[in-house]
Short mmCIF file of all heavy atoms in Angstrom, two decimals:
data_model
loop_
_atom_site.label_atom_id
_atom_site.label_comp_id
_atom_site.label_asym_id
_atom_site.label_seq_id
_atom_site.Cartn_x
_atom_site.Cartn_y
_atom_site.Cartn_z
N GLU R 302 121.24 68.85 125.28
CA GLU R 302 120.22 69.15 126.21
C GLU R 302 118.86 68.77 125.67
O GLU R 302 118.54 69.21 124.55
CB GLU R 302 120.24 70.61 126.64
CG GLU R 302 119.28 70.99 127.68
CD GLU R 302 119.37 72.42 128.07
OE1 GLU R 302 120.42 72.78 128.75
OE2 GLU R 302 118.43 73.19 127.82
N VAL R 303 118.04 68.06 126.37
CA VAL R 303 116.77 67.63 125.90
C VAL R 303 115.57 68.23 126.68
O VAL R 303 114.52 68.49 126.07
CB VAL R 303 116.60 66.09 125.88
CG1 VAL R 303 117.51 65.53 124.79
CG2 VAL R 303 116.91 65.44 127.20
N LEU R 304 115.70 68.50 127.91
CA LEU R 304 114.69 69.14 128.68
C LEU R 304 115.33 70.01 129.74
O LEU R 304 116.38 69.71 130.32
CB LEU R 304 113.78 68.12 129.40
CG LEU R 304 112.89 67.24 128.54
CD1 LEU R 304 112.31 66.12 129.40
CD2 LEU R 304 111.80 68.01 127.84
N GLN R 305 114.62 71.15 130.04
CA GLN R 305 115.09 72.02 131.11
C GLN R 305 113.88 72.82 131.60
O GLN R 305 112.92 73.15 130.85
CB GLN R 305 116.09 73.03 130.59
CG GLN R 305 116.56 74.02 131.62
CD GLN R 305 117.55 74.96 131.09
OE1 GLN R 305 118.27 74.72 130.12
NE2 GLN R 305 117.64 76.13 131.67
N GLU R 306 113.85 72.99 132.91
CA GLU R 306 112.73 73.77 133.50
C GLU R 306 113.18 74.38 134.82
O GLU R 306 113.88 73.71 135.55
CB GLU R 306 111.46 72.91 133.72
CG GLU R 306 110.28 73.74 134.08
CD GLU R 306 108.95 73.04 133.86
OE1 GLU R 306 108.87 71.95 133.24
OE2 GLU R 306 107.97 73.50 134.41
N ASN R 307 112.76 75.58 135.04
CA ASN R 307 112.96 76.25 136.34
C ASN R 307 111.71 76.43 137.09
O ASN R 307 110.62 76.67 136.49
CB ASN R 307 113.64 77.62 136.08
CG ASN R 307 115.03 77.48 135.57
OD1 ASN R 307 115.78 76.58 135.88
ND2 ASN R 307 115.41 78.40 134.67
N GLY R 308 111.71 76.27 138.36
CA GLY R 308 110.54 76.48 139.20
C GLY R 308 109.49 75.37 139.08
O GLY R 308 108.29 75.58 139.28
N TYR R 309 109.90 74.13 138.78
CA TYR R 309 109.02 73.03 138.62
C TYR R 309 108.59 72.53 140.07
O TYR R 309 109.40 72.17 140.85
CB TYR R 309 109.65 71.92 137.80
CG TYR R 309 108.72 70.81 137.56
CD1 TYR R 309 107.76 70.96 136.47
CD2 TYR R 309 108.67 69.65 138.29
CE1 TYR R 309 106.87 69.99 136.19
CE2 TYR R 309 107.71 68.61 137.95
CZ TYR R 309 106.87 68.82 136.93
OH TYR R 309 105.97 67.77 136.71
N ARG R 310 107.33 72.45 140.27
CA ARG R 310 106.76 72.02 141.64
C ARG R 310 106.06 70.71 141.48
O ARG R 310 105.30 70.46 140.57
CB ARG R 310 105.82 73.11 142.12
CG ARG R 310 106.43 74.44 142.41
CD ARG R 310 105.48 75.56 142.65
NE ARG R 310 104.51 75.30 143.74
CZ ARG R 310 104.63 75.75 144.95
NH1 ARG R 310 105.60 76.56 145.31
NH2 ARG R 310 103.73 75.42 145.87
N PHE R 311 106.31 69.86 142.51
CA PHE R 311 105.62 68.58 142.54
C PHE R 311 105.68 68.04 143.97
O PHE R 311 106.46 68.52 144.82
CB PHE R 311 106.24 67.60 141.54
CG PHE R 311 107.64 67.21 141.91
CD1 PHE R 311 107.95 65.99 142.55
CD2 PHE R 311 108.78 68.00 141.50
CE1 PHE R 311 109.21 65.64 142.88
CE2 PHE R 311 110.08 67.60 141.78
CZ PHE R 311 110.29 66.45 142.50
N ILE R 312 104.85 67.07 144.24
CA ILE R 312 104.83 66.41 145.50
C ILE R 312 105.76 65.19 145.46
O ILE R 312 105.53 64.30 144.65
CB ILE R 312 103.43 66.04 145.97
CG1 ILE R 312 102.59 67.28 146.08
CG2 ILE R 312 103.49 65.25 147.31
CD1 ILE R 312 101.14 67.06 146.43
N LEU R 313 106.76 65.19 146.28
CA LEU R 313 107.78 64.17 146.28
C LEU R 313 107.31 62.78 146.65
O LEU R 313 106.51 62.70 147.61
CB LEU R 313 108.92 64.59 147.23
CG LEU R 313 110.20 63.83 147.25
CD1 LEU R 313 110.84 63.80 145.89
CD2 LEU R 313 111.18 64.31 148.27
N GLY R 314 107.67 61.82 145.86
CA GLY R 314 107.30 60.36 146.23
C GLY R 314 105.90 59.96 145.75
O GLY R 314 105.50 58.91 146.16
N THR R 315 105.27 60.73 144.90
CA THR R 315 103.95 60.33 144.43
C THR R 315 103.88 59.88 143.04
O THR R 315 102.81 59.55 142.53
CB THR R 315 102.94 61.51 144.61
OG1 THR R 315 103.42 62.65 143.76
CG2 THR R 315 102.84 62.03 146.02
N GLY R 316 105.07 59.79 142.34
CA GLY R 316 105.01 59.36 140.94
C GLY R 316 104.67 60.44 139.94
O GLY R 316 104.35 60.11 138.82
N SER R 317 104.59 61.64 140.34
CA SER R 317 104.20 62.71 139.50
C SER R 317 105.39 63.21 138.57
O SER R 317 105.15 64.04 137.65
CB SER R 317 103.64 63.86 140.21
OG SER R 317 104.50 64.41 141.15
N VAL R 318 106.57 62.67 138.81
CA VAL R 318 107.78 62.96 137.97
C VAL R 318 108.43 61.65 137.68
O VAL R 318 108.03 60.59 138.26
CB VAL R 318 108.81 63.90 138.66
CG1 VAL R 318 108.17 65.27 138.88
CG2 VAL R 318 109.24 63.32 139.98
N ILE R 319 109.39 61.63 136.82
CA ILE R 319 110.09 60.44 136.49
C ILE R 319 110.78 59.88 137.80
O ILE R 319 111.13 60.68 138.64
CB ILE R 319 111.12 60.53 135.38
CG1 ILE R 319 112.16 61.62 135.70
CG2 ILE R 319 110.41 60.88 134.03
CD1 ILE R 319 113.35 61.63 134.79
N GLU R 320 110.97 58.63 137.84
CA GLU R 320 111.49 57.94 139.02
C GLU R 320 112.90 58.51 139.39
O GLU R 320 113.22 58.62 140.58
CB GLU R 320 111.59 56.45 138.78
CG GLU R 320 111.30 55.57 139.89
CD GLU R 320 111.33 54.15 139.48
OE1 GLU R 320 110.54 53.71 138.63
OE2 GLU R 320 112.12 53.43 140.10
N GLY R 321 113.70 58.78 138.39
CA GLY R 321 115.03 59.27 138.64
C GLY R 321 115.06 60.57 139.40
O GLY R 321 115.91 60.73 140.30
N ILE R 322 114.17 61.45 139.05
CA ILE R 322 114.06 62.72 139.82
C ILE R 322 113.51 62.51 141.17
O ILE R 322 114.01 63.14 142.18
CB ILE R 322 113.25 63.73 139.00
CG1 ILE R 322 114.10 64.25 137.72
CG2 ILE R 322 112.91 65.00 139.86
CD1 ILE R 322 113.43 65.31 136.89
N ASP R 323 112.47 61.74 141.25
CA ASP R 323 111.91 61.44 142.61
C ASP R 323 112.94 60.81 143.51
O ASP R 323 113.11 61.29 144.63
CB ASP R 323 110.72 60.38 142.46
CG ASP R 323 109.42 60.89 142.98
OD1 ASP R 323 109.34 62.04 143.47
OD2 ASP R 323 108.48 60.08 142.88
N ASP R 324 113.78 59.91 143.00
CA ASP R 324 114.84 59.29 143.77
C ASP R 324 115.88 60.29 144.21
O ASP R 324 116.37 60.30 145.34
CB ASP R 324 115.53 58.11 142.98
CG ASP R 324 114.63 56.90 142.76
OD1 ASP R 324 113.56 56.79 143.43
OD2 ASP R 324 114.97 56.08 141.97
N ALA R 325 116.28 61.08 143.24
CA ALA R 325 117.37 62.10 143.52
C ALA R 325 117.01 63.18 144.46
O ALA R 325 117.84 63.58 145.23
CB ALA R 325 117.80 62.69 142.15
N VAL R 326 115.82 63.63 144.41
CA VAL R 326 115.39 64.75 145.23
C VAL R 326 115.22 64.34 146.73
O VAL R 326 115.50 65.18 147.62
CB VAL R 326 114.10 65.48 144.74
CG1 VAL R 326 113.58 66.56 145.63
CG2 VAL R 326 114.42 66.10 143.33
N LYS R 327 114.84 63.13 146.99
CA LYS R 327 114.71 62.65 148.36
C LYS R 327 116.05 62.86 149.09
O LYS R 327 117.10 62.46 148.59
CB LYS R 327 114.37 61.15 148.39
CG LYS R 327 112.93 60.92 148.01
CD LYS R 327 112.67 59.39 148.02
CE LYS R 327 111.33 59.16 147.30
NZ LYS R 327 111.26 57.80 146.82
N GLY R 328 115.98 63.52 150.24
CA GLY R 328 117.15 63.77 151.01
C GLY R 328 117.89 65.04 150.67
O GLY R 328 118.88 65.36 151.39
N MET R 329 117.55 65.72 149.57
CA MET R 329 118.22 66.97 149.23
C MET R 329 117.76 68.05 150.21
O MET R 329 116.68 67.95 150.81
CB MET R 329 117.88 67.43 147.86
CG MET R 329 118.53 66.60 146.78
SD MET R 329 118.25 67.22 145.06
CE MET R 329 119.18 68.73 145.08
N ARG R 330 118.56 69.08 150.37
CA ARG R 330 118.24 70.19 151.18
C ARG R 330 118.18 71.48 150.32
O ARG R 330 118.79 71.47 149.29
CB ARG R 330 119.28 70.39 152.34
CG ARG R 330 119.33 69.30 153.24
CD ARG R 330 120.57 69.28 154.14
NE ARG R 330 120.74 68.05 154.84
CZ ARG R 330 120.20 67.73 156.07
NH1 ARG R 330 119.48 68.62 156.67
NH2 ARG R 330 120.45 66.56 156.62
N VAL R 331 117.38 72.48 150.74
CA VAL R 331 117.20 73.73 149.91
C VAL R 331 118.59 74.28 149.58
O VAL R 331 119.52 74.35 150.41
CB VAL R 331 116.34 74.74 150.74
CG1 VAL R 331 116.33 76.06 149.99
CG2 VAL R 331 114.95 74.17 150.94
N SER R 332 118.68 74.73 148.37
CA SER R 332 119.89 75.29 147.73
C SER R 332 120.92 74.21 147.40
O SER R 332 121.94 74.51 146.81
CB SER R 332 120.51 76.42 148.47
OG SER R 332 121.32 75.93 149.62
N GLY R 333 120.58 72.96 147.65
CA GLY R 333 121.45 71.81 147.31
C GLY R 333 121.33 71.51 145.78
O GLY R 333 120.41 71.90 145.17
#
Side-chain angles (χ1 to χ4, degrees):
E302 183 176 291
V303 290
L304 292 172
Q305 176 179 338
E306 189 162 348
N307 293 323
Y309 186 79
R310 295 169 55 102
F311 66 98
I312 298 174
L313 188 59
T315 61
S317 58
V318 294
I319 62 170
E320 218 177 300
I322 288 181
D323 240 358
D324 291 347
V326 173
K327 287 177 194 158
M329 288 183 71
R330 298 170 191 268
V331 172
S332 78

